[in-house]
Amino acid sequence: MKIARRELLALLAGTACAPLRTREVERPPRVIRMGPERTRIAYDDPRATEKRVLFERINRDRALHGIGPVEYDPRAALVGDLFCLDGALSGSWGHWDLQGRAPYVRWGLSGGVDFHAENAAAWSASSGRLDTPLTEILLYGHESMMSETPPADGHRRTILDPQWTHVGIGVGAVGGQFRMTQEFTRVGFEWIEVPAEPVRTGARVTFAGKPLPGWDVGLIEVRFEPPPRRLSYSEVTQRGSYGYPQTILSERAPLASPFPSVQDHSAIERHRGGWVSFRFRLDHGPGYYFVLSYLERIGTAGASITPATAAMVTAVG
């Protein structure tokens, strides 16, 4: 087929002027680094005096069982106070709030990135007022937990767990309603870096952190939970113990060797200076993705591996 010269020039001109399609570059989300200051936030605790008595009792009981003391964490105390006040106002009790948020979600929403566990207790006075001093109620609640016997001794085992490094105490008292929580955390990283804000579903995000001296990352899990739904009063009060959500990704760290092998290939990257990074995709839809980093003592070859983070990444549609 012959093409006229004028038509050919027009065709070439149209082709030359067509815009080139470029591949859209995925921009990494903005991140925030949380260092030692994360356990020292400013909080003017109105119940500090009463809580101090319980804090000292917790460490005394740990010492009696040959377990090291915990430090006080104001962020954990604030998270506990907000939850306890909400429960005292609504009359609900347990580990979930009426918005359907479990303890690890509330901890993550507050900016908490270290591994976390909660003990919770509740009292109601039929008279509509609390005549017993709060200090006595706090100690009574703690002693009730310490008097538990196996296998129903979850609160006691949490108090005496040697992995914890910090604790915050939550208190809420309204009329005849009293709520108390013990918010235990484990600080095993010098610093932790996570996205600073919610990220679009499907994007890749990076978790990074530097373990404290003497520790090394052995395993990282990503766990996922869809957005919470509101719960009724009866649903909240009928729920018992809780656990972190389902694991959707698990990755073992490569061997800490200057000569990595093909078998050591891992999505966990080691960096000069002792810190690690882990990149993963938010591929399970909107909700909360929790990064659980498990640490092992250097030189133990995985003999004792325990979680040290519960860093939350929020994915939006």
Side-chain angles (χ1 to χ4, degrees), residues 204-207 220 249-254 264-271 276-280:
R204 286 189 178 275
V205 297
T206 300
F207 164 89
I220 291 181
L249 178 62
S250 181
E251 192 80 23
R252 286 205 165 272
D264 293 334
H265 177 72
S266 171
I268 302 173
E269 295 186 40
R270 297 187 183 277
H271 301 272
V276 301
S277 63
F278 175 64
R279 198 164 185 236
F280 64 99

Side-chain angles (χ1 to χ4, degrees), residues 4 24 55 68 76 100-101 104 139 142 156 165 215 241 255 265 274 283 301:
E24 185 177 346
F55 173 64
R101 301 177 302 186
Y104 46 83
L139 291 177
H142 175 77
R156 182 178 185 274
T165 61
W215 294 92
S241 59
L255 296 176
H265 177 72
D283 57 2

Side-chain angles (χ1 to χ4, degrees), residues 112-303:
V113 291
D114 301 292
F115 192 60
H116 169 273
E118 175 186 88
N119 279 342
W123 293 267
S124 297
S126 58
S127 64
R129 65 176 185 272
L130 297 171
D131 298 320
T132 305
L134 292 185
T135 301
E136 293 185 24
I137 301 177
L138 285 169
L139 291 177
Y140 173 77
H142 175 77
E143 290 164 0
S144 297
M145 295 177 183
M146 288 298 298
S147 64
E148 294 173 344
T149 57
D153 61 340
H155 298 99
R156 182 178 185 274
R157 284 186 283 110
T158 298
I159 294 169
L160 300 180
D161 192 330
Q163 76 170 318
W164 305 124
T165 61
H166 292 69
V167 71
I169 296 168
V171 173
V174 178
Q177 299 292 328
F178 180 85
R179 304 291 183 270
M180 181 266 281
T181 62
Q182 298 172 343
E183 312 279 344
F184 287 93
T185 66
R186 182 203 176 176
V187 175
F189 279 75
E190 182 178 316
W191 56 263
I192 295 171
E193 196 171 83
V194 291
E197 53 206 5
V199 183
R200 297 288 295 182
T201 298
R204 286 189 178 275
V205 297
T206 300
F207 164 89
K210 181 179 180 180
L212 292 174
W215 294 92
D216 191 16
V217 173
L219 172 74
I220 291 181
E221 292 178 341
V222 178
R223 303 193 178 205
F224 172 74
E225 181 168 291
R229 65 172 180 84
R230 289 194 63 85
L231 300 175
S232 66
Y233 171 85
S234 60
E235 286 178 309
V236 168
T237 55
Q238 289 173 10
R239 293 191 175 193
S241 59
Y242 75 96
Y244 278 84
Q246 180 181 1
T247 300
I248 60 171
L249 178 62
S250 181
E251 192 80 23
R252 286 205 165 272
L255 296 176
S257 168
F259 307 105
S261 66
V262 175
Q263 289 82 2
D264 293 334
H265 177 72
S266 171
I268 302 173
E269 295 186 40
R270 297 187 183 277
H271 301 272
R272 190 182 301 272
W275 63 282
V276 301
S277 63
F278 175 64
R279 198 164 185 236
F280 64 99
R281 190 175 291 279
L282 307 178
D283 57 2
H284 275 58
Y288 301 123
Y289 294 75
F290 298 89
V291 181
L292 273 63
S293 300
Y294 291 76
L295 296 182
E296 58 188 16
R297 286 200 176 275
I298 293 177
T300 61

Side-chain angles (χ1 to χ4, degrees), residues 17-34:
C17 293
L20 295 176
R21 291 189 177 183
T22 58
R23 180 179 296 178
E24 185 177 346
V25 178
E26 183 178 324
R27 295 183 178 180
R30 188 171 63 90
V31 298
I32 183 172
R33 177 174 293 193
M34 304 185 70

